[in-house]
Amino acid sequence: MVAGVTEITIRPDLGGVPAPQHVAFIMDGNGRWARERGLDRTEGHRRGVETVRTILECCRTWGIRYSTLYAFSTENWKRPESEIGVLFGLMADYLEANLPKFLRDDIRLHLLGNDEGLPEPALTNLHRTLEQTRHCDTWHVLLAVNYGGRDEIVRAARRMLEDPDRPTPSELDETRFSAYLDTAGIPDPDLMIRTSGEIRLSNFMLWQLAYAEFVFVPEYWPDFDEARFARALEEYARRDRRFGMTGEQAAGQGA
Ligand code: FPP
């Protein structure tokens, strides 16, 4: 999906189960990857961008239409200023370098999170890519930046209260409320993958992950590659997704 990436040569064996439509990633472990090699934490983030390229290429090759990447949380502002600077620098460079590729491959970028206070030039590059890829619809990349699941729900509630066409209390339901979330119009993730062995959600897509399958892998994000991603998808394909129904009902609905 992105320039300079070797072609994806393997294919997961999903045993006839359709590939997930939407996979969300918590890209964790960049700092530990670097520290264990005696490197500065920021080297881990640099390597993490390489993994982003590979994983997005996998998604396109394997027919996964929506990919979400948790790049910076509302809590990440507590990190040292220098690390924050490097992270947004990497993001700015990535967006600038890959805009032609996004347009060529018909990839639309979406923002999850609050863009207020994002540093330049990341903010400008983000808005340029959001604007210029608006018409793209074959593939969708959702970048979660300055994102927190609780913050998103509060911002959605605020948007709804400010909307002159808001639903009345009796009209309000999950579908109506979803339209005010950052993910309005985008299907919920089928699968969430977190790297680095941490088994928690860290305020990520609290609403949207209600029925997702979770796969936690021990590898740090810079070591997460196409083979490991394929195995995570194979594990997903073996899961029994029932959405609250009995096994027989779910099988009848092709779940
Ligand atoms: C978590 O590892 C990773 C992050 C907070 C940042 C992820 C960002 C990138 C991979 C690069 C920029 C993104 C794009 C889309 C170009 P950590 O630092 O918390 O690792 P640790 O838990 O080992 O300290």
Side-chain angles (χ1 to χ4, degrees):
M1 188 176 283
V2 174
V5 176
T6 49
E7 211 179 306
I8 303 304
T9 51
I10 59 171
R11 205 160 259 284
D13 178 4
L14 303 185
V17 172
Q21 167 170 226
H22 184 170
V23 181
F25 299 90
I26 300 184
M27 313 185 281
D28 199 9
N30 294 348
R32 278 165 287 165
W33 181 92
R35 284 286 185 232
E36 286 179 14
R37 286 158 179 80
L39 302 169
D40 190 77
R41 292 176 51 81
T42 54
E43 272 314 305
H45 297 316
R46 277 182 232 286
R47 279 297 295 264
V49 178
E50 298 303 315
T51 306
V52 166
R53 293 197 178 104
T54 305
I55 293 312
L56 291 182
E57 191 64 30
C58 287
C59 287
R60 194 171 69 97
T61 308
W62 299 339
I64 297 164
R65 193 163 175 225
Y66 298 88
S67 318
T68 298
L69 301 163
Y70 201 4
F72 195 88
S73 75
T74 45
E75 289 75 30
N76 285 153
W77 295 109
K78 296 173 197 154
R79 295 191 174 208
E81 218 173 291
S82 55
E83 183 173 337
I84 294 174
V86 169
L87 273 170
F88 281 102
L90 289 171
M91 230 180 279
D93 292 348
Y94 172 86
L95 291 167
E96 184 170 14
N98 286 285
L99 178 56
K101 178 77 176 162
F102 271 55
L103 293 170
R104 197 162 59 239
D105 289 346
D106 201 37
I107 304 166
R108 179 170 178 181
L109 183 79
H110 303 258
L111 171 69
L112 304 189
N114 187 350
D115 65 359
E116 269 171 45
L118 295 189
E120 291 292 359
L123 184 63
T124 298
N125 293 0
L126 184 63
H127 278 287
R128 186 188 304 124
T129 307
L130 291 170
E131 191 50 44
Q132 293 196 18
T133 65
R134 256 194 139 70
H135 63 281
C136 299
D137 192 34
T138 307
W139 309 101
H140 295 258
V141 172
L142 287 67
L143 200 55
V145 185
N146 191 18
Y147 176 84
R150 289 183 174 182
D151 180 65
E152 181 193 17
I153 292 168
V154 170
R155 285 186 292 103
R158 197 175 293 136
R159 248 179 242 145
M160 183 178 76
L161 293 169
E162 287 169 357
D163 179 3
D165 299 322
R166 66 186 167 272
T168 62
S170 62
E171 285 167 349
L172 182 61
D173 59 15
E174 293 178 12
T175 307
R176 294 290 296 267
F177 186 72
S178 299
Y180 295 96
L181 292 166
D182 296 346
T183 49
I186 291 168
D188 287 344
D190 305 290
L191 170 64
M192 189 286 294
I193 299 174
R194 181 173 189 151
T195 57
S196 93
E198 306 292 350
I199 304 181
R200 55 176 173 265
L201 268 186
S202 301
N203 203 9
F204 185 50
M205 301 187 93
L206 299 180
W207 176 281
Q208 297 87 343
L209 291 175
Y211 281 101
E213 296 297 325
F214 294 173
V215 173
F216 297 93
V217 302
E219 289 82 3
Y220 296 142
W221 180 253
D223 288 331
F224 189 66
D225 59 11
E226 57 181 292
R228 194 62 189 84
F229 184 18
R231 273 166 49 212
L233 285 179
E234 286 163 2
E235 185 174 335
Y236 161 83
R238 288 192 298 271
R239 299 270 175 92
D240 188 15
R241 301 188 80 198
R242 293 209 290 269
F243 303 96
M245 295 178 277
T246 66
E248 292 75 21
Q249 287 173 316
Q253 294 207 1

